Amino acid sequence: MIVISEVGPRDGIQSLDFLVDLDIKKRWIAAEAAAGVREIEVGSFVNFKRLPQMHDTAALVEFALTIPGLDVAALVPNLRGAQAAVEAGAHKLSIPVSASETHSVRNVNRTHDQMVEEVRSIRAFVDAQPADARTSIEVGIATAFGCTIEGHVPEKTIVDLAERLMAAGASEVGLSDTTGYADPAMIRNRIKAVQAAVGADNITGVHLHNTRGLGLTNALAALECGLTTLDASLGGLGGCPFAPGASGNIVTEDLVFMLDAMGIVTGIDLAALIEVRKKLAADMPAAPIYGFVADAGVPLDFSQLVKPDPETGTYA
Ligand code: ZN
């Protein structure tokens, strides 16, 4: 079973130039969960003055926790964000640490050493919580395949950072193609190098962008290395509305179609997911929506792996 982690409500909307209503986000999260999505990153605990789109993350976590079986993740850039996320009850903390130190300093005003220390303090904070509130700490190594400021990011930088972050208390590390620079060979090489350094159990996911159209081939390369969690966003939301063709994350619907077609179980109902996409497009007509399967339809005789129970309309 492959876990698709929906990051649209966080990564997908943070660059939109209009605020998305809390009710729209709630409907979206509930509908995706009903379609079988088991993990959703609902928002981030950041400085809301800098990122107003994320002002209602605590309310979204609270709402998402009422959905049975859903793993609720939140992005946190620092200890303060982690404290807010734990207080809200999030199951997973996702901490971005940029492999490009220039990017890290410009974005969060912290060097690698400082980010490693930040992860260490988050670990100490989480360990001080009651057993049932100890969230998982997943560190995503951002710009892991290249940076728009530094350009090439050496593989050794990624591997060293992964080792230091695990030693500082990360539950696991993941690789993020923040800039859409990755290609399948690079995905294979870097995942294998990190697996060899920290152990295959400590890297299970990748975060990919489809900026240059290689998103799904990169996803496949990651799966072939044994990874089991793929981030994606409904309608490939994200990217910049002012840069035509600069799409966001890999498209959840297209990814589910590819995996379904290959007989790989995701637990997600593709037809239901496409309905969620239509509703979201109607709710946010100004948002750029990407993807192929929803427009083209599935092939004749295509058989979905997940179908609702014909009697109850629900999923087993
Ligand atoms: Zn991203």
Side-chain angles (χ1 to χ4, degrees):
M1 167 114 173
I2 295 301
V3 175
I4 295 183
S5 180
E6 171 66 48
V7 297
R10 200 276 304 166
D11 206 355
I13 64 165
Q14 69 181 15
S15 61
L16 295 178
D17 58 354
F18 58 92
L19 281 182
V20 180
D21 280 354
L22 179 60
D23 280 346
I24 291 178
K25 295 182 191 175
K26 284 184 179 174
R27 277 204 296 275
W28 175 9
I29 289 167
E32 275 209 53
V37 174
R38 280 288 143 264
E39 180 175 316
I40 302 182
E41 193 167 286
V42 299
S44 56
F45 288 92
V46 289
N47 181 344
F48 306 140
K49 285 191 188 123
R50 275 188 66 191
L51 214 58
Q53 194 73 267
M54 296 291 132
H55 73 281
D56 50 13
T57 300
L60 273 176
V61 170
E62 190 187 337
F63 170 75
L65 289 172
T66 64
I67 302 172
L70 182 67
D71 272 336
V72 182
L75 184 138
V76 300
N78 51 34
L79 176 62
R80 201 162 149 197
Q83 288 165 335
V86 167
E87 193 182 320
H91 299 128
K92 289 185 179 184
L93 307 180
S94 166
I95 308 169
V97 175
S98 191
S100 154
E101 200 154 26
T102 321
H103 183 260
S104 184
V105 170
R106 283 211 201 160
N107 251 344
V108 293
N109 201 23
R110 284 185 174 82
T111 62
H112 283 167
D113 287 352
Q114 288 170 318
M115 281 310 295
V116 169
E117 283 317 303
E118 200 74 33
V119 169
R120 206 183 304 282
S121 13
I122 293 172
R123 166 51 67 197
F125 168 73
V126 166
D127 283 353
Q129 302 304 308
D132 61 349
R134 279 181 213 147
T135 56
S136 162
I137 301 173
E138 302 184 357
V139 181
I141 301 181
T143 63
F145 302 91
C147 169
T148 49
I149 309 164
E150 278 191 15
H152 178 70
V153 174
E155 186 177 287
K156 188 177 181 312
T157 306
I158 313 297
V159 172
D160 289 350
L161 203 48
E163 285 176 331
R164 293 180 68 196
L165 291 164
M166 286 306 298
S171 309
E172 60 175 88
V173 291
L175 298 185
S176 300
D177 183 19
T178 318
T179 54
Y181 279 14
D183 63 74
M186 210 181 195
I187 292 272
R188 271 192 287 273
N189 294 340
R190 294 190 172 210
I191 289 174
K192 283 179 183 164
V194 174
Q195 284 173 327
V198 302
D201 289 349
N202 293 322
I203 169 168
T204 64
V206 274
H207 176 95
L208 302 167
H209 280 255
N210 196 36
T211 320
R212 290 171 180 78
L214 299 188
L216 287 186
T217 50
N218 289 340
L220 186 60
L223 291 177
E224 287 171 354
C225 292
L227 298 204
T228 52
T229 302
L230 298 167
D231 287 0
S233 76
L234 193 74
L237 270 175
C240 177
F242 307 107
S247 71
N249 294 97
I250 51 175
V251 179
T252 311
E253 313 82 282
D254 290 359
L255 178 61
V256 170
F257 168 67
M258 179 179 86
L259 296 175
D260 249 21
M262 296 172 71
I264 298 171
V265 176
T266 63
I268 299 170
D269 178 82
L270 179 59
L273 198 61
I274 289 172
E275 288 306 308
V276 184
R277 171 195 168 99
K278 284 183 193 158
K279 286 192 193 112
L280 190 68
D283 274 343
M284 303 197 297
I289 301 273
Y290 305 95
F292 292 94
V293 174
D295 290 340
V298 296
L300 190 63
D301 297 333
F302 179 73
S303 177
Q304 284 184 232
L305 290 176
V306 178
K307 297 185 185 106
D309 182 303
E311 308 254 301
T312 63
T314 58
Y315 302 95

